[in-house]
């Protein structure tokens, strides 16, 4: 039997959507609109600022280590510290973080040590065995696959009826991957307790934002999957925290996932294997320096009387000492045997690998 098709004489709108933009703190460190009181706790804001600075000091040292052959390829987070620290400050201890490779601030906040991050980028998998926050996933380099991990973890929380949530992060370029869309679709259909935070730093390695996606916002990518999206100023920790805390609370209460697009700018190379000066104009970088999240937060804290230059000096010195100690701990960590790369890969080693395993044990190159 032929299916009857009903045709409307007049076209009608069958769906609409909107994406809101949220910002509280402007470039001068002043509130441009009323900010919720719970976000303005002085002690919490000082801690957030200190963690942002510590992350930047760590970044600089890690790049120096790579340049001198003491660390592998390293992706910095310069100019994007408000996003990662804002995420960490918004999560509950028993929530789960599924990061990509620019979330050191969130990881440090949650208890991952600096030497663990150095070990990872130094090629030692021991760095992924966090001594704290054991439920958090390790750094994920394959683009967008961490979003699928997050959906799996969120499904497990939902299945076990646990009032917890998952946060996963991704760059703007990663949102063009099929993995991201598949993760969004599952999260939307199953109403999973997961929050997708897009670090929209305007560059997917050498591909600018306007060359990788024609959508007006990246937050709207969730709409097609039934996942609401919002856009925030990613250099404003107040806006980041407000959006992430709201989304996490909604997720924990069974109200489903959220996409948060955090607008920022990558003030560094994509990784130490990249040279952004080959494809990005210096004038563009200069124009974005005024949005620096650390400078903005410092202005706010000083204006409110919560900070001063003497504390700044002491903090910088302390951060330097902590980073130096972490580097020494990294150097002092024994290198695991080469055969470990096969020893823990399979429950029972396949015959095809036996010869290689024995050669590694004997130190044969």
């Amino acid at each position: 039997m032929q299916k009857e098709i009903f045709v409307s004489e007049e076209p009608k709108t069958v769906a609409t959507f909107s994406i809101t933009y949220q910002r509280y703190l402007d470039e001068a460190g002043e509130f441009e609109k009323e900010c919720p009181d719970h976000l303005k706790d002085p002690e919490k804001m000082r801690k957030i600022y200190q963690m942002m600075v510590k992350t930047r000091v760590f970044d600089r040292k890690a790049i120096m280590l790579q340049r001198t052959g003491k660390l592998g390829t390293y992706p910095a987070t310069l100019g994007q510290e408000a996003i990662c620290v804002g995420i960490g400050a918004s999560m509950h201890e028993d929530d789960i973080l599924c990061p990509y490779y620019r979330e050191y601030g969130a990881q440090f906040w949650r208890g991952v040590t600096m030497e663990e991050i150095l070990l990872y980028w130094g090629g030692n998998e021991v760095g992924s065995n966090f001594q704290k926050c054991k439920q958090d996933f390790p750094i994920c380099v394959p683009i967008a696959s961490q979003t699928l991990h997050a959906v799996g973890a969120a499904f497990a929380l939902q299945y076990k009826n646990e009032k917890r949530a998952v946060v996963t992060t991704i760059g703007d370029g990663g949102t063009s991957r099929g993995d991201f869309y598949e993760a969004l679709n599952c999260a939307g259909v199953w109403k999973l307790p997961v929050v997708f935070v897009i670090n929209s730093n305007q560059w997917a390695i050498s591909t600018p934002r306007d060359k990788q996606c024609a959508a007006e916002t990246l937050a709207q990518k969730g709409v097609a999957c039934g996942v609401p999206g919002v856009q925030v100023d990613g250099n404003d920790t107040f806006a980041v925290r407000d959006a992430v805390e709201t989304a996490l609370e909604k997720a924990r209460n069974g109200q489903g996932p959220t996409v948060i697009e955090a607008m920022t700018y990558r003030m560094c190379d994509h990784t130490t294997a990249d040279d952004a000066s080959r494809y990005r104009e210096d004038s563009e970088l200069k124009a974005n320096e005024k949005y620096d999240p650390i400078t903005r937060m410092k202005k706010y804290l000083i204006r409110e009387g919560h900070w001063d230059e003497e504390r700044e000096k002491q903090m910088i010195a302390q951060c330097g000492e902590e980073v130096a100690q972490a580097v020494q701990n990294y150097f002092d960590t024994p290198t695991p045997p080469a055969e470990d790369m096969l020893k823990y890969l399979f429950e029972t080693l396949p015959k095809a690998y036996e010869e290689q395993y024995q050669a590694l044990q004997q130190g044969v190159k």
Side-chain angles (χ1 to χ4, degrees):
M1 178 182 290
Q2 184 177 4
K3 185 176 181 180
E4 187 174 359
I5 300 175
F6 294 91
V7 180
S8 174
E9 292 183 0
E10 295 293 333
K12 63 179 181 179
T13 300
V14 295
T16 59
F17 71 91
S18 64
I19 301 296
T20 60
Y21 175 79
Q22 185 76 283
R23 179 168 98 153
Y24 294 108
L25 200 67
D26 64 17
E27 290 76 34
E30 298 181 359
F31 285 129
E32 60 183 23
K33 66 178 182 180
E34 187 60 34
C35 180
D37 289 338
H38 76 277
L39 297 175
K40 296 186 290 186
D41 176 69
E43 183 176 352
K44 185 74 172 279
M45 293 314 304
R46 280 193 295 266
K47 185 178 177 183
I48 287 172
Y49 175 65
Q50 290 168 335
M51 186 60 77
M52 290 167 66
V53 172
K54 182 187 293 187
T55 302
R56 184 166 292 188
V57 173
F58 172 82
D59 244 9
R60 290 171 181 164
K61 185 62 177 180
I63 292 172
M64 291 172 62
L65 291 172
Q66 191 280 332
R67 298 306 190 205
T68 53
K70 298 174 182 177
L71 195 70
T73 300
Y74 175 82
T77 189
L78 182 65
Q80 302 150 84
E81 297 90 350
I83 298 174
C84 53
V85 176
I87 289 171
S90 301
M91 297 176 68
H92 287 180
E93 186 176 350
D94 63 351
D95 288 333
I96 299 173
L97 178 65
C98 291
Y100 78 137
Y101 43 80
R102 285 190 213 281
E103 306 309 330
Y104 312 124
Q107 291 179 299
F108 293 157
W109 189 283
R110 292 180 58 73
V112 176
T113 65
M114 288 183 280
E115 52 262 40
E116 287 172 333
I117 298 298
L118 292 173
L119 284 166
Y120 175 82
W121 291 115
N124 191 335
E125 286 297 334
V126 170
S128 295
N129 184 22
F130 307 139
Q131 296 308 299
K132 295 184 180 179
C133 55
K134 292 284 191 180
Q135 75 276 22
D136 286 359
F137 283 55
I139 291 170
C140 188
V141 174
I143 305 301
S145 55
Q146 72 279 2
T147 59
L148 297 171
H149 304 159
V151 164
F155 182 85
L157 295 181
Q158 185 187 73
Y159 181 79
K160 293 190 290 185
N161 199 29
E162 295 185 10
K163 201 171 183 180
R164 299 160 61 195
V166 182
V167 175
T168 185
T169 57
I170 189 169
D172 45 80
T175 64
S176 297
R177 293 280 299 182
D179 311 55
F180 176 69
Y181 290 104
E182 291 160 12
L184 276 178
N185 192 56
C186 289
V189 170
W190 296 331
K191 299 190 184 303
L192 296 179
V194 57
V195 178
F196 299 85
V197 181
I198 302 170
N199 179 334
S200 193
N201 64 27
Q202 310 311 305
W203 287 93
I205 309 183
S206 59
T207 304
R209 163 68 173 85
D210 62 349
K211 298 296 184 182
Q212 58 177 292
C213 180
E216 194 170 357
T217 72
L218 299 181
Q220 73 196 59
K221 289 193 173 189
V223 174
C225 300
V227 180
V230 297
Q231 190 183 82
V232 302
D233 183 343
N235 291 342
D236 172 10
T237 55
F238 294 94
V240 173
R241 283 179 59 210
D242 191 20
V244 176
E245 288 179 4
T246 299
L248 282 171
E249 189 62 23
K250 186 183 78 169
R252 296 189 197 102
N253 289 322
Q255 298 173 16
T258 303
V259 173
I260 299 170
E261 180 185 9
M263 306 298 292
T264 185
Y265 188 79
R266 196 190 79 206
M267 295 172 64
C268 53
D269 297 328
H270 175 70
T271 71
T272 50
D274 175 43
D275 179 5
S277 66
R278 297 178 63 185
Y279 54 80
R280 186 172 65 184
E281 297 293 335
D282 288 341
S283 57
E284 179 181 313
L285 181 60
K286 278 287 184 185
N288 279 279
E289 287 179 352
K290 65 182 179 181
Y291 301 114
D292 184 288
I294 290 180
T295 301
R296 188 186 304 194
M297 180 60 71
K298 181 180 178 181
K299 289 178 180 179
Y300 164 77
L301 290 172
I302 291 177
R303 196 188 74 251
E304 294 296 315
H306 302 321
W307 198 249
D308 54 55
E309 290 301 335
E310 183 58 33
R311 291 192 206 185
E312 180 82 6
K313 182 179 178 181
Q314 293 175 2
M315 177 192 64
I316 295 296
Q318 182 179 350
C319 286
E321 292 173 2
E322 291 180 17
V323 170
Q325 184 59 59
V327 171
Q328 191 58 54
N329 294 343
Y330 162 59
F331 289 154
D332 291 343
T333 302
T335 301
E339 62 265 26
D340 277 10
M341 72 175 76
L342 296 177
K343 187 175 181 180
Y344 303 107
L345 189 59
F346 302 97
E347 182 179 5
T348 302
L349 191 68
K351 287 187 179 297
Y353 290 100
E354 287 180 357
E355 185 178 346
Q356 295 178 47
Y357 183 71
Q358 291 169 7
L360 288 169
Q361 282 187 311
Q362 297 166 11
V364 178
K365 296 184 180 179

